[in-house]
Structures are given as C-alpha cells and as structure tokens.
Amino acid sequence: MNYTLRHTTRYHYSAPVTLCHSEARMLPRKTPHQQCGASTLDIHPLPDVQAERRDIFGNRVLYFAQENIHQTLDVTVVTPITTRPLAALPEHSQAWERVAESLSVDRRFDIQLYCLDSPFIRRHDELAAFARRCFTPGRSQVDAALALNRLIYETFAYDPSVTTLATPLSEVLASRSGVCQDFAHLAIGALRSIGLAARYVSGYLETQPPPGQPRLVGADASHAWLATWIPDWGWLALDPTNGTVAGEQHPVLGWGRDYADVAPLKGVMNGGGDHQLDVEVDVMPLTDNGAA
C-alpha cells in the first residue's frame, strides 16, 4: 500500500515560553515491510537549533530548540510511505514455556531490552495470571499470543474517558477499559510477566479503509500496538484494540519498551503556564496517479 502520512501536533500556552527544547519522534522508520520517502517538516516558530539522530531502538529522533518568546508550537510532518504484506505466520511454533526458558538465558541486548520492566510496565503476578488464561501448558507461542490479542479485544471496551497516561495497569485490568496505549501496555506486561519478550509499537492506522472493510478503531490519531518475539521467525505484531495482526494498514513510526520511549513530541521549556494540545493525523492511500 502507498500512503501519505500527515501528523500535526499543536501546543497553545497560557503564558509566554522563553526557551523550549524538544524531541520529536514523528519521522517514520524504515522496516523490512515499510519504505519511507523524504519527509517534509514544518515547525513554527522556526527552530534556532535543529538536528536528527537515532535512539537506542533505532528510531529517528528530531531535536530542535526555540530561543525566542512564543505562545504556540506547531509541528507538522508529511511523509510518503509504502507498506508491504507481512510474511505468513509460522504453521508451527514452539510451546511458549520452551521459549520463555530460552529467553531466560538469552543475552542478546536487542531481545533482553523487551523482557524487563520499563517506566510504564512492571511485571506482576496479576498480569501473569491474566496471560495464563491463554498461555496454557504446552500451547504454541503463536496460538497463545493470538488468543491473548483476541481476549483483550473481546473483553475490554475502548473508552478514552476512563484512563490517562498515568493510569496503572491494575486499574486497566479492573475497569476492563482504556485506549490503544493501555491495551498495548497490558498485553506487553502480561507477556513479560510469563518470561516472553514484547515491545511497544507506535504508528498509525489507515484513515479510510479499503471498500468493504470496517474502519479500524484508532484511525485519525496516533495508534499503538505491540510485537512479541517468535524465535526463528521474528517479531509478531498484534493490535489488541482491533483484535488483528498488525499489517499493511498499520504504518510504523517507531518502537521501544513502552510509550515513554516513543512519545511523538516531548521536551522542556521555560514558562508557558498551562497548555492545550491538539493532534491531527491523516493516513491517506495514494491512487494510481499519485493523488491522496
């Protein structure tokens, strides 16, 4: 699929800001299933300093600073991307207990990063018990992961009014409701609590689905899902908000241990008072003549 991604973040401050240092993770990354064209970047007010780097997870990070007084900050990124179909799921996979046992002695840094606790996700017996509703003895890892993804989709309600960024996973479990970020964190916490590796994926959903297909929950905003490590196959991306495997309709922005690692825009400033945040996202498929 060919898309044009447009992501705008606007901050309106109640008092003047005299100095602002920001990091934006709004530049999509290249993956085996995703190619990215050159991004068009529009920042107001114009930064006095601007530079790009890669973080420890390989995500593109744009640093910029404004050193003049301002009361609004607008950041818009437009990127053409092409997504490809994912590889077929493995017909057979190891029992999940064998995978957990092998990961307990695996010393690969890029895997162990996603087995341990992180700022928003702490391993816990309650999360392990939730996972074991699907990860029954001897069940294949892929089957169990798909079942966990479906369990969250079928038994939790999407409700933006219930949780905030600070809501702990114990409350998400108790209320059986939340948003895509909560469901991704919940699945990751459950998987890590039984010894498996899982990472948080930040990205988008196609704004308008193909004819005859339902509109996915979470379109018109940043979206979140997870990926769990399947030995000898790779990272299996799952979207518990929609109960699906994350595929061509899920353009990837970046990934990390949890939301804290891939927040689209964060920073520090002097002044500003209270603020209002507005976010606009469009993921528009391109026609044969290149028009969105």
Side-chain angles (χ1 to χ4, degrees):
M1 295 289 294
N2 297 313
Y3 296 104
T4 295
L5 307 181
R6 182 183 179 91
H7 185 166
T8 298
T9 299
R10 296 187 179 95
Y11 280 95
H12 302 267
Y13 306 108
S14 62
V17 175
T18 57
L19 178 65
C20 182
H21 293 269
S22 303
E23 280 192 351
R25 285 171 172 80
M26 297 166 63
L27 300 169
R29 63 182 292 166
K30 180 182 177 181
T31 77
H33 305 288
Q34 177 174 292
Q35 297 294 319
C36 304
S39 295
T40 301
L41 185 66
D42 190 12
I43 303 175
H44 290 286
L46 290 175
D48 297 283
V49 180
Q50 182 174 317
E52 184 179 336
R53 66 177 177 87
R54 296 274 180 173
D55 65 17
I56 194 172
F57 309 102
N59 302 314
R60 299 172 65 188
V61 183
L62 179 70
Y63 163 77
F64 59 92
Q66 282 98 352
E67 300 173 352
N68 296 304
I69 295 175
H70 58 280
Q71 278 192 246
T72 62
L73 172 61
D74 289 7
V75 181
T76 296
V77 178
V78 179
T79 309
I81 69 163
T82 298
T83 60
R84 299 187 178 93
L86 305 182
L89 295 182
E91 294 183 4
H92 305 285
S93 64
Q94 299 180 49
W96 71 268
E97 298 99 328
R98 289 187 59 189
V99 177
E101 182 179 357
S102 68
L103 287 175
S104 69
V105 296
D106 192 321
R107 292 296 175 261
R108 285 175 293 176
F109 180 71
D110 60 339
I111 301 296
Q112 286 301 311
L113 268 176
Y114 305 110
C115 293
L116 305 175
D117 292 345
S118 56
F120 284 107
I121 303 172
R122 296 286 186 269
R123 291 166 293 176
H124 194 275
D125 290 344
E126 187 179 15
L127 292 172
F130 180 72
R132 289 194 176 97
R133 293 177 59 179
C134 300
F135 286 80
T136 51
R139 191 172 190 179
S140 79
Q141 182 191 10
V142 170
D143 286 348
L146 292 171
L148 178 66
N149 192 53
R150 194 74 186 176
L151 176 66
I152 296 173
Y153 170 69
E154 292 178 346
T155 61
F156 285 71
Y158 184 88
D159 188 345
S161 68
V162 173
T163 60
T164 68
L165 187 59
T167 302
L169 289 179
S170 58
E171 290 186 19
V172 176
L173 267 175
S175 68
R176 287 294 194 272
S177 57
V179 294
C180 58
Q181 172 190 293
D182 301 308
F183 303 153
H185 281 167
L186 174 62
I188 293 168
L191 291 164
R192 290 180 186 169
S193 295
I194 58 171
L196 300 176
R199 67 190 185 192
Y200 183 98
V201 185
S202 173
Y204 309 100
L205 290 173
E206 183 177 338
T207 304
Q208 295 296 333
Q213 294 188 22
R215 193 169 190 270
L216 297 175
V217 177
D220 293 334
S222 296
H223 193 52
W225 57 96
L226 70 135
T228 187
W229 174 250
I230 310 297
D232 303 319
W233 188 81
W235 290 94
L236 173 58
L238 302 169
D239 179 359
T241 303
N242 291 287
T244 63
V245 174
E248 284 185 276
Q249 288 180 269
H250 292 72
V252 174
L253 188 58
W255 55 68
R257 297 165 300 167
D258 59 31
Y259 174 82
D261 292 328
V262 287
L265 186 62
K266 61 183 179 181
V268 294
M269 61 185 181
N270 183 34
D274 297 327
H275 71 266
Q276 177 184 334
L277 171 63
D278 296 307
V279 177
E280 297 175 3
V281 171
D282 283 308
V283 182
M284 299 303 298
L286 297 180
T287 62
D288 292 339
N289 63 8

